[in-house]
């Protein structure tokens, strides 16, 4: 037994001295083991070589089996480590591509249907990836808007809402699952969006939009989308967007009907207050809880708002700036009409009544 160990050590030392690779050195020791086992199987019991090498073949079979287990375990570990290193390298490469603004192969496959559209193409998809969009409200309108902005590949999406998910929301607010009841809407929406598209950044703000935070918040984004259900928030969003020359997409709905428009006085259109200078009298504009709303209606109107956002970002087609689209689900009717800026508007001062010099009307 000792003789074999000495011979194995000698083989290993000779291999190391001559620079032989470890695999070859282990191969020489395996060859020595095979020779010993064959000697025990071929030579008669009591032969000097058998006596010098332990006398019993079972011992060497156990040694060989134990060695095979160790070698197999090491091979599995090396393979797992190599696979983990490869995945890590791929993840680092994709992260580097994302930081550089380039698309990873996964993103190219995901957005292929956009890229083949002549009006969007690769240039438009890059604009979407670089865009920063703030969505006010994660409810009926916010749910489809957020879902489709994430699916479209808008790079940074902010969502502000101070509400929590309630059972009554789930009839129409499809971004929230039943398991999210009681959770913050912004957290539920963020989870759904990142599960749908991990390549976008979602910034949740669990608070109400107020005058003290609106200017700084809006300054971080290129486009504002108003999906709120109260006039205080709509007027605040409009005033802040006008002050910062940010495009504002606004939607509203009730019962069977919804409306969508894009407000941007800096490009020759009215602002929200030009069209709605005064809050409606109490009872004239009941909430969804009071008047009811068709379950798919927010999805239709919210999808229209997302379409306007994609067009405004990429420059495709003609937006709803200076126009309002009305969708009547009950009678399957869609119509659009022109909007005019008011020169006496206290918010925009009628800037949209005449485009600035050198700026095209959308």
């Amino acid at each position: 037994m000792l003789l074999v160990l000495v011979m194995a050590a000698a083989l290993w030392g000779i291999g190391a001295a001559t620079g032989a690779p470890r695999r070859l050195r282990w191969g020489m020791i395996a060859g020595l083991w095979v020779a010993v086992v064959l000697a025990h199987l071929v030579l008669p019991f009591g032969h000097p070589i058998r006596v010098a090498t332990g006398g019993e073949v079972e011992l060497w079979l156990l040694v060989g089996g134990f060695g095979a287990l160790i070698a197999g375990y090491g091979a599995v570990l090396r393979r797992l480590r190599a696979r983990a290193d490869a995945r890590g390298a791929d993840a680092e490469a994709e992260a580097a591509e994302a930081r550089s603004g380039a698309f990873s192969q996964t993103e190219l496959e995901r957005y292929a249907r956009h890229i083949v559209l002549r009006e969007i193409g690769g240039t438009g998809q890059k604009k979407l990836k670089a865009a920063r969009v703030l969505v006010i409200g994660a409810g009926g309108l916010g749910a489809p808007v957020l879902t489709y902005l994430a699916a479209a590949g808008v790079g940074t999406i902010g969502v502000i809402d101070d509400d929590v998910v309630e059972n009554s929301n789930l009839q129409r607010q499809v971004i929230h699952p039943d398991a999210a009841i009681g959770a913050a809407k912004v957290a539920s929406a963020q989870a759904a969006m990142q599960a749908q598209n991990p390549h976008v950044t979602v910034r949740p703000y669990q608070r109400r939009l107020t005058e003290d935070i609106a200017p700084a918040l809006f300054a971080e984004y290129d486009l504002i989308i108003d999906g709120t259900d109260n006039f205080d928030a709509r007027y605040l969003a409009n005033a802040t967007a006008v002050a910062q020359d940010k495009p504002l997409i606004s939607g509203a709905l009730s019962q069977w009907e919804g409306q969508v428009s894009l407000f941007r006085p800096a490009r020759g259109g009215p602002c929200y207050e030009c069209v709605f200078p005064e809050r409606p009298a109490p009872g004239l504009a009941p909430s969804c809880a009071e008047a009811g709303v068709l379950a798919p209606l927010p999805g239709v109107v919210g999808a229209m708002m997302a379409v306007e956002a994609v067009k405004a970002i990429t420059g495709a087609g003609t937006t709803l700036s200076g126009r309002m689209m009305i969708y009547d689900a009950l009678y399957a009717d869609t119509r659009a009409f022109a909007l005019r800026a008011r020169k006496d508007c206290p918010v925009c001062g009628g800037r949209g009544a005449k485009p600035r010099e050198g700026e095209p009307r959308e």
Side-chain angles (χ1 to χ4, degrees):
M1 181 71 172
L2 181 61
L3 176 63
V4 177
L5 294 177
V6 171
M7 292 176 65
L11 288 173
W12 186 270
I14 293 171
T18 57
R22 293 174 63 89
R23 180 174 297 180
L24 179 58
R25 283 180 267 168
W26 282 117
M28 290 189 296
I29 292 175
L32 176 62
W33 175 83
V34 171
V36 172
V37 171
L38 288 176
H40 277 263
L41 294 175
V42 173
L43 297 175
F45 185 77
H47 192 281
I49 294 180
R50 291 191 61 174
V51 174
T53 56
E56 298 292 338
V57 70
E58 288 81 1
L59 174 64
W60 293 108
L61 292 176
L62 287 174
V63 170
F66 186 68
L69 286 175
I70 294 176
Y73 181 70
V76 171
L77 285 181
R78 287 192 296 273
R79 181 172 298 181
L80 291 175
R81 188 177 294 113
R83 186 176 300 177
D85 291 343
R87 288 179 178 175
D90 291 343
E92 289 181 5
E94 287 203 4
E97 288 176 341
R99 289 191 295 270
S100 68
F103 291 108
S104 66
Q105 185 61 37
T106 302
E107 289 176 294
L108 289 174
E109 294 174 359
R110 181 180 291 261
Y111 307 131
R113 272 64 173 178
H114 262 181
I115 295 172
V116 298
L117 286 175
R118 178 174 56 85
E119 296 83 0
I120 295 181
T123 301
Q125 193 62 47
K126 287 183 179 179
K127 291 180 180 179
L128 288 171
K129 184 173 184 176
R132 298 166 299 169
V133 178
L134 175 66
V135 179
I136 310 171
L141 290 173
V145 169
L146 292 167
T147 299
Y148 278 108
L149 291 183
V154 172
T156 303
I157 305 169
V159 52
I160 180 168
D161 196 314
D162 68 340
D163 206 357
V164 298
V165 180
E166 299 178 359
N167 186 42
S168 60
N169 300 149
L170 305 185
Q171 169 252 12
R172 63 201 177 280
Q173 299 179 19
V174 294
I175 200 170
H176 308 298
D178 184 79
I181 292 176
K185 284 187 177 179
V186 293
S188 173
Q190 179 187 26
M193 294 162 70
Q194 292 185 327
Q196 201 281 335
N197 188 354
H199 303 286
V200 302
T201 299
V202 182
R203 297 177 179 174
Y205 306 96
Q206 189 185 356
R207 59 182 305 176
R208 181 178 293 273
L209 183 69
T210 57
E211 291 184 9
D212 59 325
I213 68 168
L217 182 61
F218 280 35
E220 297 181 15
Y221 294 91
D222 311 310
L223 172 67
I224 314 300
I225 299 181
D226 179 13
T228 60
D229 58 359
N230 70 86
F231 283 92
D232 289 340
R234 292 174 187 171
Y235 284 119
L236 173 58
N238 176 68
T240 309
V242 170
Q244 298 186 12
D245 280 347
K246 300 289 177 71
L248 171 68
I249 297 173
S250 179
L253 45 84
S254 179
Q255 297 183 328
W256 294 84
E257 190 174 274
Q259 65 185 41
V260 185
S261 187
L262 190 155
F263 299 103
R264 196 173 192 182
R267 295 289 184 89
C271 75
Y272 181 85
E273 197 155 332
C274 287
V275 182
F276 302 101
E278 297 180 0
R279 292 167 175 77
L284 291 183
S287 66
C288 291
E290 297 168 327
V293 62
L294 177 69
L297 181 63
V300 175
V301 178
M304 291 179 179
M305 296 168 71
V307 168
E308 289 302 303
V310 171
K311 291 192 298 181
I313 293 168
T314 62
T318 302
T319 69
L320 283 173
S321 179
R323 295 184 298 150
M324 178 173 288
M325 178 178 291
I326 304 293
Y327 172 66
D328 188 333
L330 186 59
Y331 296 102
D333 180 45
T334 302
R335 57 193 183 279
F337 53 87
L339 303 175
R340 294 286 180 263
R342 292 189 302 114
K343 293 182 180 180
D344 60 344
C345 176
V347 176
C348 71
R351 280 188 294 168
K354 183 178 180 180
R356 293 178 178 179
E357 185 177 354
E359 287 187 335
R361 182 182 294 272
E362 290 186 349

